Amino acid sequence: MFIPSILLKQLYTRGSLTSSKEGISFKLKNRLKDATVKSIQEVKLNGRSVPIQDISLEMADGQLVSAQNLNGDKPLEFPLRSIIEMRLARVKGLSEEVKHSIVIGFEVAPFGKLKLEVEDVLSKGTDADTGIPRVEQDDYSRDAAEIRQEYLETFSGKTFEHIKQYSFEPQELQGNIENFTGVAQVPLGLAGPITINGEHAQGDFIVPMATTEGTLVASYNRGIKLMNACGGVKCTVLDDAMQRAPVFVFQDARGARDFVDWIEENFTTIKQQAEATSHIAKLTYIDHFLSNKFAFLRFNFKTGDAAGQNMVGRATFAACGWILDSYKQHKITDFYLESNFATDKKASQINIMRTRGKRVVAEVRLKKEQLLQIMRVDPLQLDYHHRVSSIGSFLSGVNNTGLHSPNGITAMFIATGQDVANVAESSAAIFYSEIDDDGDLYLSITIPSLIVATYGGGTGFGTQKECLQMMDCYGENRVYKFAEIVAGVVMAGEISLAAAISSSDWVSSHEKHGRNR
C-alpha cells in the first residue's frame, strides 16, 4: 500500500526525542489506520546504525517488547491513535543545539515495508508542570475531573457548585475536549411545532433552542405560528461541499499555471488517494485559483452526515502527499495544507458563491390576511422594509441581507452539539421578497454555507443527542433533514423580527420579555 512520504512522517511525534541515563527515546503515533508492526529492520541515528538488540518498543499500557523478538508470528499491535515509545539503549552524547536525523525501516501490516526519515532536536525537558493537572493513566475519568475541580477551587479561591454537575461519563468525551472539568449549562427552550415541507424533512417538528437571550424563543415561535397558518415553509438543499484548500508555491507564475493543468489531468488518481483515507469522504471536484507564483487548490468533498473538516483535512493531506511525490515538471518550492482559502470558521465571499457545508433555501408565501391578523403588518410594509434595509446591507458590507439568521442557527447549534464556531460561515444569508398578484408576500432565504452534522463530533453526547433525537435527526442519513429544519427556523426568525421592526413592537417586546425588563 502506497504511503506518501509527507503522510508517513506524521507517524513521528515532533519534540519527543529525549535523553536519559539508559539512552534516548522518541514516540511514534499511529495516525493512519489500525496496524501491526511485524519487524524493525533498521534504525539509524545521525547516519549510524543502532544494533537491533539495543532497540525496544513500549506501548501506552507499559508493555515492553524487544525489537529482535518481533517477527511475523509475534507482531506488535499498533491500533489507530495509539503511541509506541521507541527506546535506543547506550546512545549518549547528543547535542541539544542541533537537529538529529532519524531513519526507521520497519514492516507494518497492512502497509508493507516502510522507511521513515525525520529530523528532530533533543528535548531539553522542563521542571515539573505546575499547570492544570492531568492523569496520565486515564485523564477521562471522574477522578481526573475531580482533581481538576479541586485544583480550580484552590487556584481561584472560589467554590463551584454547578460546573461539577454532569450526567454522562467523561470517557465519552475523548477526542472532543481536553482537561475536562465540568459543564457549562445553557438554558433550553422549545419552539414549534414547525411545519416543514422539505424533500427530507416533512411534517411537524419541535425545535430545541439553547440560549440566554430573552425574547428569542418567543420570537421564533411567533414566526412559526404565521408560517404554519400559511401552510408551512418549503425547504430545499441545493448543494453540499466541504473544503480544504492547500497552496503550492513555485519559482514563477508559469510553474503554477502548468501545475494546475497537471492536477486536472490526474484528478482520478488524486481522488483515489484522498478517498483511501475514509469510507465516507468523496472528492467531487478541485477548484484552482492562480495568483502570483501560487497555485491555490480547493478540494471539495461530500462528507456524509459529519461536518467533515477533520475528515477532509486528512484526505487532502494524503492526496497532497501523492502530488508532492509524483509531480516532477516544475520544482515545488513550498507547500501548505491550508492556505486560508477554505476560510475555516470565517465568513467569506467564496463560500457564499461556491458553498461550504450545505447550501439550503427556505421559501414561504404569507397570506395578506394572516400577516395582518397575527403580525399586525401589511405585506407592503415588510417588502418595503426589506428593500430599505438592503441598502443598509450594501453600505455596511455585511455578508447577510437578512436580519438575524445567526440567532436561530446559534441556538440550535448549541442545543444539538454542532461546532458553534461554524456560525461564522453559517451566518451568511441572501434574503429576497416580492409581492405577488394576489397581494401576498413571497419570501425566500438562501443559507449558502450551513455547516451541520447529525453524526460524530459533539452530536452524540447526552443532551445534544437528545435534542437531535426530538427532531428525528440523530445518526446516519439525517443531515439534509436537519439542514432543512434549520433553514425553516431561520425563516421564522426573519419574519418575526421584520414584523416587529415594521410594527414598532421590537423594543416593547424586549421590555416585556427580554433583558430590558
Side-chain angles (χ1 to χ4, degrees), residues 119-281:
E119 289 185 333
D120 201 3
V121 296
L122 191 66
S123 174
K124 296 181 179 181
T126 59
D127 296 333
D129 188 1
T130 57
I132 297 170
R134 293 180 58 83
V135 179
E136 289 297 328
Q137 295 82 0
D138 184 7
D139 204 44
Y140 291 91
S141 66
R142 288 183 177 269
D143 290 342
E146 289 174 5
I147 289 171
R148 283 188 282 271
Q149 291 165 4
E150 292 172 3
Y151 166 82
L152 176 61
E153 292 183 338
T154 300
F155 184 89
S156 65
K158 305 291 191 300
T159 299
F160 299 96
E161 175 186 354
H162 301 289
I163 288 174
K164 300 177 182 179
Q165 308 302 317
Y166 53 91
S167 60
F168 49 81
E169 291 302 318
Q171 284 84 359
E172 300 175 21
L173 300 175
Q174 291 192 50
N176 289 92
I177 195 169
E178 299 75 42
N179 295 339
F180 172 71
T181 305
V183 294
Q185 300 181 46
V186 182
L188 182 70
L190 299 179
I194 181 173
T195 301
I196 304 287
N197 303 315
E199 293 177 305
H200 305 274
Q202 299 176 355
D204 296 338
F205 300 90
I206 295 291
V207 179
M209 306 187 82
T211 183
T212 55
E213 181 179 350
T215 76
L216 187 142
V217 177
S219 177
Y220 279 84
N221 264 320
R222 192 168 79 127
I224 288 170
K225 178 181 179 181
L226 174 60
M227 292 195 309
N228 287 353
C230 298
V233 57
K234 183 178 182 179
C235 300
T236 308
V237 176
L238 301 180
D239 197 8
D240 180 3
M242 179 51 64
Q243 294 82 20
R244 188 58 59 210
V247 58
F248 295 80
V249 184
F250 294 86
Q251 293 176 327
D252 56 31
R254 294 176 187 176
R257 179 197 62 192
D258 295 344
F259 172 73
V260 298
D261 292 338
W262 183 89
I263 291 293
E264 291 178 353
E265 293 168 0
N266 289 273
F267 174 77
T268 300
T269 304
I270 294 170
K271 177 180 172 70
Q272 291 170 349
Q273 294 295 324
E275 294 180 0
T277 65
S278 170
H279 67 281
I280 296 173

Side-chain angles (χ1 to χ4, degrees), residues 11 14 51 71 79 90 115 122 233 326 350 369 438 471:
L11 291 174
R14 298 285 178 182
N71 55 57
R90 299 188 298 177
K115 188 174 183 179
L122 191 66
V233 57
S326 303
I350 185 120
E369 58 271 21
D438 297 323
M471 297 177 287

